[in-house]
Amino acid sequence: MSQVLPVEITDEVKQSFINYAMSVIVDRALPDVRDGLKPVQRRILYGAYQDGVLPNRKHVKSAKIVGEVMGKFHPHGDAAIYDTLVRMAQPWNLRYPLIDGQGNFGSLDGDPPAAQRYTEARLSPVGLELLQDLDKETVPFVPNYDGTQTQPEVLPAAFPNLLANGSAGIAVGMATSLPPHNLGEVVEALLQMIDNPSLTLEEVMRVLPGPDFPTGGKLSRRGIKEAYATGRGSLKVRARVRHEEKNGRPMLVFTEIPYQVNKADLIAQIAGLVRNKVIEDIAALRDESDRQGLRIAVELKRGANPQVVLNKLYKHSRLQTSFTVNLLAIVKGEPRVLTLLELMRHYLDHRREVVQRRTQFELRKALERAHILEGLLVALDHIDAVIALIRGSQDAAEARRGLMERFSLSEVQAQAILDMRLQRLVGLERSKLEEEYRSLTEEIARLRAILEDEQRLWQVVKDELLAIKQKYADPRRTQITEFEEGFSPEDLVEDEPMVITLTAQGFIKRTPLEAYRAQGRGGVGAQAGKTREEDEAISVFVASMHDTLLVFTSRGRVYAEKVRELPEASRQARGTHVVSLLPLQEGEEVAALLSVRELDQEGYFVFATRNGLIKKTAIREYQNLTSAGLIAINLLENDALVGVAIAQENDEVMLATQSGQAIRFALSEVRATGRASQGVTGIRFKEGRADRVVSLVVLKGEEGEVLAVGSQGYGKRTPISEYPRQGRGGMGVITFNTNEKVGHLAALLWVRGNEDLLVLSKRGIAIRTKVAEIARYGRATSGVRVMSLAEGDELASAFVVAPQDEA
């Protein structure tokens, strides 16, 4: 009579789930640390081996292999077995394929393989290496699922499969992701570990620097050591690119893509980026892959910056991916996360055990054969007596007993004599037996020496690893290099020159320099921005998109804003008020602008005020500049900041006033002070004249010229040599002859003569003209017309555009 036992449902579910999880972990999803194979992979290889589907024989239908494996060893569906077989044959998935496939086995585009009844397969040479010596009792055998046959618990694995091919699998609550490596490098590392068991990871990485993916690509060195040391990590892999040109257009050609990236999906992803205007500089996208190899051509628009487009592709597409490293494998029936050194050690221990067991097997077989040969040789030495004894015996059993008693032979030897063919009595056959016996004696001595000497045992392991390397090693495919894994915003923006304009009421904008086409000297210019009647333009200068804009205010503070983050607007647009960009306080206005690449550099910020003061402070004192701003200079009441420039200790400076005076002196005369200081007198004004400083100029010795521009659009160039060096605090010399026609001095600039001059009027009209077209005149002159101004308008600002900044 059946009995019903009460069971706590939570305990039953817990136990059942644990049993299921362990079954998935140990018997399905994770590789064994010794041969690097999951059970289904091992069964496929063993099934093919057992059926004689070897590399030197013809291919057989994949369905035949699948059927044999399913019927004898793997109690699961044929689809799972075939999918595994297909992956073991795909050279873009396995660094060293274990199956040699014939037919459609899929593609890098993700195309499915043909049905198993159409494809053919056999063991690859590398796959056979995993099975070598399987018949020499090298590994334990266990019953198959129905107990009718046995199968190997693990393969002998003369080929270091787990390290060379890697593995991937998802179990219950855990996953493995072991990257593939270059066989030659793996063997070298293993040989070093045999010679030096206390080998360090640093020493290993000198010969095994990192993974080597079957699809090549570029691998960032960052993170490799940590992954090897801890068993977990993340590595960045990039496509390999070549820069070409077609019909005058730049072209990016990708010849290798990251491991396990589907090519067709990648191309569709890039097309989507173009369609959604994430990347706008791509003109055409083509898959030009053929039998010669992979080739994805990305044709760019004329004038596009290939590096910026490439950075965007790396950032937004799978041309750059992360490979997760999780060195998880089955060790003695349990899942364990291992370090690289532990993986190597477990494999070597396995190979040592295989070699030892094989040697013991071969020694036993050799001893058994030698024993038989000894009996045969005894019989040949007494052949007449042996023949007489056999002829006189009633049956085989009596003859066997007689031989054993008469010649002190064992049963095996006696039986071998009875089985001996008469042709063995020929003299030549006797010589062969004696030679075979001598060879066996030497072989027995060799095998015993291996088993008795640990060093000789390891030497055999080394020799076999070297043989594997010589047969299958190939050049590294993945380049290990240094590259930034992430991208700064600058990497995704072309470093092009931008014109930054500012109005008196604080409206600011950036416009590409190419929007300001060069005009001849004396032109009327073009609208550079709409201004209200009560507003006027006060400043214009050119900065790079990768620069940081420093905004100095009327209260002596400085704020930072990335040029790329300024609102871009057309020449005619008004711009955005600076208050919406920076946390200016009430009543605080922009006094001066300056662009820099970085604040961690040698040199000084030099400040000039309206009342003639000058100050210098080390640039590095502003390294901690944040969005909240910093004190830049202490301004006296009724004074204002006029200009800020970057200079070095050996430079000279010039201060120019509205009345046309200028003074030149060495910057070394100005003592460096902290941020919260006022400065010292740089120039004095003539008594009784209302005057103010309008420009600060940094000079590099006698090189170049000084360009003076008046408020009514007149200008000239004057050699620096005409300006005498004076001490700080003087009144200077005349540099521009001011009068009602030419107006007052609006700007003084240092030029070499090969630049462009960008000038801006208070009504927002701008003109860009060649500096070389402006005539040279002496100091006490007004020059020639540079810009024709409308009635009531006057020049507000001027900036020199260096030749390399031109669009």
Side-chain angles (χ1 to χ4, degrees), residues 638-797:
N638 298 323
D639 201 358
L641 192 60
V642 170
V644 186
I646 294 175
Q648 304 300 319
E649 183 68 28
N650 296 329
D651 291 343
E652 295 180 315
V653 293
M654 287 184 70
L655 296 177
T657 72
Q658 184 173 271
S659 66
Q661 294 293 115
I663 186 170
R664 173 188 181 188
F665 59 88
L667 182 61
S668 58
E669 291 192 30
V670 181
R671 182 174 60 86
T673 57
R675 291 186 291 103
S677 58
Q678 297 174 349
V680 294
T681 300
I683 187 170
R684 298 184 188 276
F685 307 135
K686 292 183 179 180
E687 272 191 58
R689 178 187 294 182
D691 205 355
R692 65 185 183 90
V693 172
V694 293
S695 286
L696 164 67
V697 181
V698 175
L699 304 176
K700 307 289 183 181
E702 298 293 331
E703 180 186 354
E705 301 170 309
V706 170
L707 172 62
V709 186
S711 61
Q712 293 303 309
Y714 284 80
K716 61 169 184 179
R717 289 184 289 156
T718 305
I720 291 176
S721 58
E722 291 196 21
Y723 293 85
R725 292 184 176 87
Q726 298 178 275
R728 176 182 62 80
M731 294 185 181
V733 295
I734 189 168
T735 186
F736 189 77
N737 187 21
T738 61
N739 55 50
E740 189 174 339
K741 176 185 175 183
V742 301
H744 60 76
L745 180 64
L748 194 69
L749 305 161
W750 176 76
V751 297
R752 286 191 175 94
N754 60 344
E755 309 95 333
D756 281 3
L757 177 68
L758 185 65
V759 291
L760 177 71
S761 77
K762 290 186 176 181
R763 291 184 181 175
I765 304 298
I767 186 174
R768 177 182 174 188
T769 188
K770 298 287 184 185
V771 167
E773 294 182 3
I774 302 172
R776 291 189 180 91
Y777 285 92
R779 288 190 294 103
T781 58
S782 303
V784 295
R785 184 174 292 280
V786 175
M787 179 181 187
S788 295
L789 296 167
E791 187 175 350
D793 197 6
E794 64 178 62
L795 191 139
S797 178

Side-chain angles (χ1 to χ4, degrees), residues 442-489:
E442 293 174 1
E443 179 67 6
I444 289 168
R446 185 187 72 83
L447 295 172
R448 280 176 171 161
I450 291 172
L451 291 172
E452 292 168 1
D453 188 342
E454 189 74 9
Q455 191 170 350
R456 286 196 180 187
L457 186 62
W458 280 115
Q459 186 61 48
V460 175
V461 176
K462 287 178 63 175
D463 292 343
E464 292 179 358
L465 283 171
L466 278 171
I468 290 291
K469 176 185 174 183
Q470 290 169 1
K471 287 166 70 174
Y472 305 110
D474 58 358
R476 165 172 278 278
R477 299 180 190 175
T478 301
Q479 178 186 357
I480 298 177
T481 184
E482 301 282 355
F483 60 77
E484 288 297 324
E485 298 175 6
F487 295 96
S488 66

